[in-house]
Amino acid sequence: KRLRLEALQESPLAFGRGYEEESNLDEAFWREKLEKVKRGKTWLFVALEDDSAIGMIGAYRDALLRFHHVVSLAGFYVSPAYRKTGVGKQLLDHQLEVLKNDQTVAKVQLYVVDKQEAARSLYYACRFKDVGVQEKQMCVDGVYYDSILMEKML
């Protein structure tokens, strides 16, 4: 919870929900998120240093059976002090390796705001490709941002 709230404050363009929305959610919300991971409904990997969370990446599968082979990445964040140290690449590589080893997953997709150049560079390095742009998809503090859909076949 601490890292997620930090992420929402530090990188508001990287998340669909804002800090104000999520900081007011009760403990039951956070427990349910972890229960979904435990039940295998979603994935969540956390990078630690000295037992402190410094990065995270999550993924989820569409509930509709016809789209069950598609997994969406979400909640990817690395604390500023650990950026450009390889932590983000390790998290992403690990998540992709886990998905590649799941025979039911054929495609990984994600959305990234066009202004997030570092994130986009990392995705390109991992062989994601742009497949579409959603104009004015996100509005933060009255400013509109385009969202880019990227995907990678496994």
Side-chain angles (χ1 to χ4, degrees), residues 71-89:
V71 170
S72 298
L73 296 184
F76 188 19
Y77 174 77
V78 175
S79 291
Y82 297 92
R83 292 179 187 164
K84 298 186 180 182
T85 66
V87 170
K89 178 90 164 72

Side-chain angles (χ1 to χ4, degrees), residues 6-145:
E6 172 191 314
L8 295 173
Q9 287 184 304
E10 178 65 35
S11 301
L13 296 182
F15 301 92
R17 200 180 270 146
Y19 176 82
E20 297 75 23
E21 293 171 85
E22 218 156 288
S23 63
N24 293 319
L25 296 171
D26 63 13
E27 288 303 313
F29 169 82
W30 299 101
R31 279 194 299 277
E32 177 57 24
K33 282 181 90 74
L34 290 177
E35 282 302 315
K36 286 181 180 178
V37 174
K38 289 179 186 175
R39 292 191 312 261
K41 300 287 184 186
T42 62
W43 293 265
L44 175 66
F45 296 105
V46 178
L48 300 172
E49 182 171 272
D50 299 325
D51 293 328
S52 181
I54 61 169
M56 63 184 174
I57 190 168
Y60 62 93
R61 192 188 297 259
D62 196 303
L64 297 175
L65 191 55
R66 290 183 177 189
F67 301 102
H68 202 67
H69 63 285
V70 179
V71 170
S72 298
L73 296 184
F76 188 19
Y77 174 77
V78 175
S79 291
Y82 297 92
R83 292 179 187 164
K84 298 186 180 182
T85 66
V87 170
K89 178 90 164 72
Q90 288 176 328
L91 280 167
L92 182 56
D93 284 346
H94 182 71
Q95 178 71 81
L96 292 172
E97 188 63 29
V98 167
L99 296 174
K100 190 186 310 180
N101 290 326
D102 184 330
Q103 298 299 316
T104 66
V105 179
K107 180 171 86 168
V108 181
Q109 68 180 19
L110 60 90
Y111 290 92
V112 61
V113 170
D114 61 340
K115 303 293 184 205
Q116 293 181 279
E117 297 294 334
R120 290 176 63 201
S121 292
L122 176 58
Y123 299 138
Y124 291 136
C126 290
R127 303 196 186 257
F128 279 83
K129 64 179 184 175
D130 296 346
V131 293
V133 176
Q134 296 175 306
E135 296 178 352
K136 293 186 176 182
Q137 183 67 14
M138 183 182 287
C139 184
V140 177
D141 297 328
V143 178
Y144 292 103
Y145 297 92

